[in-house]
């Protein structure tokens, strides 16, 4: 079988003549195949140069003709230009063309007009599609592979008619990103409109409506020396300051920004909030993974399934200093002296009487749970991280029950006397695409002291980024003094 490729400038008369000659051969010869590539005049020179460089050819005019070895594979065999193609047809097929120059020019003009019309129609069809733009940073993080199949489903984003997925990894390999793009496209998911890849911040967060920040290069930072921690935080602050600037300039005004990972989650979200003047309610840090780990520890203690433990609250700085609160926690299907229908539950604190265990060993078990998983599997807890992000997205988009309580890192302005420029995990509910801090929880003096200590520690980390900065110092002097006194009392 003979397969020829005919490429040329759309307005080239000789491309038009070669095109009609090839059509004639295709109609006359059952095994003759022709593939045409029509290039706009202003794009032709660059396209020709790239094609010749890729194949090791030398050619300067339109059209360009080569033959592909259909049954043998390998790169195409260069044939030449119009004269070479005409000579080949005369010698091998005894067919030539006697088209006049006037007719050649007329067809070339028609080709150009048709090409432009087709491009305009394609742009019009594309303009009718309004995809939801989702950006994922550190897209080569294994968590991203776990996220994508569910993220591009109606279960998570029920209101999206199409999704444009943008994969960003500023330290990533372009070939690996291209492979991830191809694998994503191969899923053939109905909602997927397009996938783009980015290895720099030149186009980052354009039209973003959902941003998932998976940057997690700082695991183990708590074990570093003070100098190493300061260097890490400064590098982190530089990156997230740039993220904040780009999000403010390019993202949709109602963007939803979700910060996730195993370390410095609250700090990263706080730095982002500091660098961006958008509504602080657009930024959250994921605590769902930690919340689920606490539920698993309680479930193991009570010998029930993890899903049968609900309303566990995580207070504080996820991945660093936090407190697991069970004041609202309930357990279903518990095998105790009092049993009821499936909807019947017991308060966890009425079943577990050992307060010393709850305040000591239980907190340590949750704190070490993720490290235990990593040590056994020799990889990150990517599946649970992805599940936490998806759960939060479902709640934020209104696909879960509004009465559910979630632990989420948010700005706590006007709540618990905490500063609004730091992100701390607190109990929230989602209603109509907005979160609100749960008010019917008991925050006693001990818990309030813990929260103030968590906020103070997080503030100190933020000050490490730029110790001489005067931003927010004056309004928070009283708060810092209060935190110092309460930290001393808490230590005693």
């Amino acid at each position: 079988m003979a397969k020829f490729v005919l490429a040329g400038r759309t307005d080239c008369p000789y491309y038009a003549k070669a095109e009609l000659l090839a059509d004639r051969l295709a109609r006359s010869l059952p095994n003759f195949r022709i593939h045409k590539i029509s290039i706009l005049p202003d794009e032709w020179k660059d396209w020709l140069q790239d094609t010749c460089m890729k194949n090791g050819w030398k050619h300067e005019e339109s059209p360009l003709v080569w033959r592909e070895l259909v049954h043998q594979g390998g790169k195409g065999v260069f044939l030449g230009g119009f004269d070479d193609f005409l000579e080949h047809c005369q010698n091998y097929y005894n067919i030539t063309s006697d088209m006049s120059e006037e007719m050649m020019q007329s067809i070339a003009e028609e080709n150009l007009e048709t090409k432009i019309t087709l491009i305009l129609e394609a742009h019009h069809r594309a303009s009718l599609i309004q995809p939801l733009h989702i950006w994922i940073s550190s897209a080569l993080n294994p968590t991203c592979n776990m996220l994508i199949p569910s993220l591009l489903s109606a279960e998570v984003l029920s209101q999206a008619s199409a999704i444009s997925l943008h994969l960003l990894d500023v330290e990533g390999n372009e070939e690996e990103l291209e492979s991830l793009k191809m694998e994503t496209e191969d899923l053939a998911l109905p909602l997927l409109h397009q996938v783009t890849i980015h290895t720099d911040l030149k186009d980052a967060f354009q039209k973003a409506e959902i941003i998932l920040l998976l940057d997690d290069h700082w695991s183990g930072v708590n074990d570093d020396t003070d100098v190493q921690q300061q260097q890490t935080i400064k590098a982190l602050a530089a990156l997230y300051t740039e993220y904040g600037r780009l999000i403010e300039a390019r993202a949709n005004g109602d963007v939803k920004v979700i910060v996730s990972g195993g370390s410095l989650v609250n700090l990263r979200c706080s730095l982002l909030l500091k660098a961006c003047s958008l509504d602080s309610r657009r930024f959250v840090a994921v605590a769902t993974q930690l919340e689920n780990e606490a539920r698993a520890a309680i479930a193991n203690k009570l010998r029930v399934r993890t899903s049968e433990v609900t309303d566990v609250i995580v207070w504080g700085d996820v991945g660093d200093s936090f407190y697991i609160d069970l004041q609202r926690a309930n357990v279903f299907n518990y095998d105790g002296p009092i049993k009821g229908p499936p909807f019947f539950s017991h308060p966890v604190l009425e079943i577990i009487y050992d307060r010393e265990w709850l305040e000591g060993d239980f907190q340590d078990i949750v704190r070490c749970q993720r490290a235990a998983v990593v040590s056994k599997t020799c990889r990150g807890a990517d599946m649970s991280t992805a599940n936490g992000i998806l759960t939060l997205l479902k709640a934020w988009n209104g696909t879960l029950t509004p009465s559910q309580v979630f632990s989420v890192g948010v700005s706590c302005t006007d709540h618990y006397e905490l500063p609004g420029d730091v992100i701390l995990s607190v109990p929230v509910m989602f209603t109509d695409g907005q979160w609100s801090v749960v008010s019917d929880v008991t925050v006693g003096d001990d818990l309030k002291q813990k929260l103030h200590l968590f906020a103070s520690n997080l503030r100190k980390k933020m000050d490490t980024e730029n110790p001489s900065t005067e931003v927010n110092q004056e309004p928070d002097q009283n708060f810092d003094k209060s935190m110092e006194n309460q930290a001393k009392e808490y230590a005693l």
Side-chain angles (χ1 to χ4, degrees), residues 136 138-151 165 167 176-177 179-181 183-184 187 214 382-383 386 390:
I136 302 179
S138 289
L140 293 179
N141 186 318
T143 300
C144 186
N145 295 68
M146 303 283 184
L147 269 176
I148 289 176
S150 297
L151 183 64
L165 183 63
L167 304 175
E176 292 182 24
L177 279 174
S179 298
L180 179 58
K181 173 186 175 181
E183 188 175 359
T184 302
L187 293 174
L214 307 183
D382 306 309
M383 191 184 307
L390 293 170

Side-chain angles (χ1 to χ4, degrees), residues 355-468:
R355 295 297 186 265
E356 185 177 345
W357 181 84
L358 290 174
E359 296 295 327
D361 292 347
F362 168 62
Q363 304 288 333
D364 293 336
I365 289 171
V366 177
R367 189 169 284 107
C368 299
Q369 176 66 18
R370 198 171 309 175
V373 171
V374 172
S375 66
K376 290 181 179 180
T377 61
C378 298
R379 57 178 175 79
D382 306 309
M383 191 184 307
S384 57
T385 302
N387 178 67
I389 296 171
L390 293 170
T391 301
L392 182 55
L393 263 178
K394 290 177 185 178
W396 209 346
N397 285 287
T399 57
L400 296 181
T401 307
S403 60
Q404 283 186 263
V405 175
F406 300 90
S407 298
V408 182
V410 297
S411 172
C412 297
T413 305
D414 301 326
H415 294 283
Y416 316 120
E417 301 176 3
L418 294 172
D421 63 337
V422 295
I423 299 293
L424 291 177
S425 175
V426 296
V428 305
M429 288 183 176
F430 289 91
T431 306
D432 298 328
Q434 300 289 338
W435 57 261
S436 59
V437 177
V438 177
S439 57
D440 59 337
V441 291
T442 302
V443 181
D445 292 339
D446 288 345
L447 179 54
K448 187 175 291 186
Q449 287 180 359
K450 288 184 174 72
L451 289 175
H452 287 169
L453 181 61
F454 298 154
S456 180
N457 291 339
L458 189 55
R459 174 67 63 75
K460 290 178 182 178
K461 288 182 181 179
M462 293 181 65
D463 290 342
T464 300
E465 170 255 333
N466 188 3
S468 63

Side-chain angles (χ1 to χ4, degrees), residues 239-260:
L239 176 62
Y240 272 71
T241 298
E242 183 64 11
Y243 276 179
R245 185 185 68 81
L246 295 175
I247 290 172
E248 182 173 357
R250 299 173 177 175
N252 188 291
D254 294 329
V255 64
K256 297 173 181 176
V257 183
I258 298 177
V259 182
S260 180

Side-chain angles (χ1 to χ4, degrees), residues 76-95:
V77 177
F78 176 69
L79 188 59
F82 172 76
D83 291 337
D84 301 296
F85 181 60
L86 184 62
E87 182 181 353
H88 181 87
C89 293
Q90 289 174 335
N91 293 338
Y92 280 86
Y93 307 114
N94 196 28
I95 295 178

